[in-house]
Amino acid sequence: MLRVLVMVSGGGTNLQAIIDGVHSGDITNTELVGVISNNYDVYALERAANAGIEGCVVSPKDYTTREEFNKGLLAKVNSFKPDLIVLAGFLVVIPETMIDEYENRIINIHPSLIPSFCGTGYYGLKVHEAALDRGVKLTGATVHYVDKGTDTGPIIMQKAVEVQEGDTPKILQQRVMEEAEWKILPAAINKIANSL
Ligand code: GAR
């Protein structure tokens, strides 16, 4: 069984898609061992609790320096002994020490077709605002391995989504989630879990 740790910052709809995938059997050979959030009071933690998964918060606000936070985060990650770390809307830069320790064992979901609309400053709604500003007719989502760059690691899966007339960033975000993110993130985990 692949021990999967999910890291979140907000609502946790991608976390929910993973939980649902494990429950439905779409994701096999996988145990969800924990959820780490960098923010208190996020709905993702309630989703974890409802599914009986251990949830915890490691917040930069509780540390005096970034270095101390990074150490605290890595210690908490290690405590779950994960085989795979899934960044499901985790909007914190992953410390290099963690990337070294978990090389090729951290994956991320990004709400665009990489290499479009990715890199520093492109996260959440900003990605969809940029896609609409550019006037692209196709966007989508990407699951990729995390390396030391921002959104530069090897691509595992992508799915395209059509932009429609009258889309707002929020409407487009919702469609990208429903049609792409909630499908390819569980599928990527299942692929990794069954290729060991
Ligand atoms: C998702 O759209 C995810 O792709 C994005 O944050 C959202 C989290 O939603 N991640 C990034 O932008 C990473 N660069 P969720 O908490 O409902 O899963």
Side-chain angles (χ1 to χ4, degrees):
M1 290 276 257
L2 190 80
R3 293 175 60 82
V4 172
L5 171 66
V6 184
M7 300 180 71
V8 297
S9 296
T13 63
N14 279 288
L15 167 65
Q16 191 65 55
I18 298 166
I19 292 169
D20 293 348
V22 170
H23 286 170
S24 69
D26 285 344
I27 305 175
T28 56
N29 202 25
T30 294
E31 184 188 357
L32 299 177
V33 293
V35 171
I36 296 178
S37 169
N38 63 305
N39 290 319
Y40 289 94
D41 298 326
V42 291
Y43 192 60
L45 290 170
E46 224 166 297
R47 295 182 192 273
N50 289 341
I53 303 165
E54 184 180 340
C56 59
V57 177
V58 184
S59 166
K61 292 178 187 152
D62 297 331
Y63 296 85
T64 47
T65 65
R66 198 71 191 182
E67 208 185 323
E68 289 302 313
F69 164 71
N70 286 346
K71 273 189 199 162
L73 186 64
L74 184 55
K76 183 50 93 174
V77 165
N78 286 341
S79 74
F80 286 102
K81 299 187 177 14
D83 300 313
L84 181 72
I85 297 166
V86 178
L87 309 182
F90 187 65
L91 303 181
V92 169
V93 175
I94 299 298
E96 290 207 348
T97 45
M98 187 166 144
I99 295 171
D100 285 336
E101 203 163 322
Y102 289 93
E103 205 183 350
N104 297 321
R105 288 192 291 154
I106 309 175
I107 66 171
N108 179 50
I109 177 88
H110 182 78
S112 75
L113 293 173
I114 289 175
S116 291
F117 313 116
C118 64
T120 308
Y122 287 101
Y123 58 89
L125 266 187
K126 288 178 193 288
V127 177
H128 305 292
E129 281 163 13
L132 290 175
D133 282 350
R134 186 62 186 84
V136 294
K137 303 301 177 206
L138 266 187
T139 184
T142 303
V143 181
H144 64 94
Y145 285 105
V146 173
D147 66 7
K148 287 181 184 168
T150 306
D151 303 327
T152 52
I155 290 170
I156 304 166
M157 274 188 196
Q158 291 187 300
K159 191 164 191 295
V161 173
E162 279 185 22
V163 178
Q164 289 175 14
E165 200 68 34
D167 272 353
T168 63
K170 278 201 170 237
I171 291 171
L172 184 57
Q173 178 184 50
Q174 185 66 24
R175 188 178 316 111
V176 168
M177 283 177 156
E178 281 174 15
E179 293 184 9
E181 296 187 46
W182 301 341
K183 293 184 174 158
I184 61 173
L185 187 56
I189 295 168
N190 186 54
K191 185 177 172 192
I192 292 167
N194 288 289
S195 65
L196 297 177

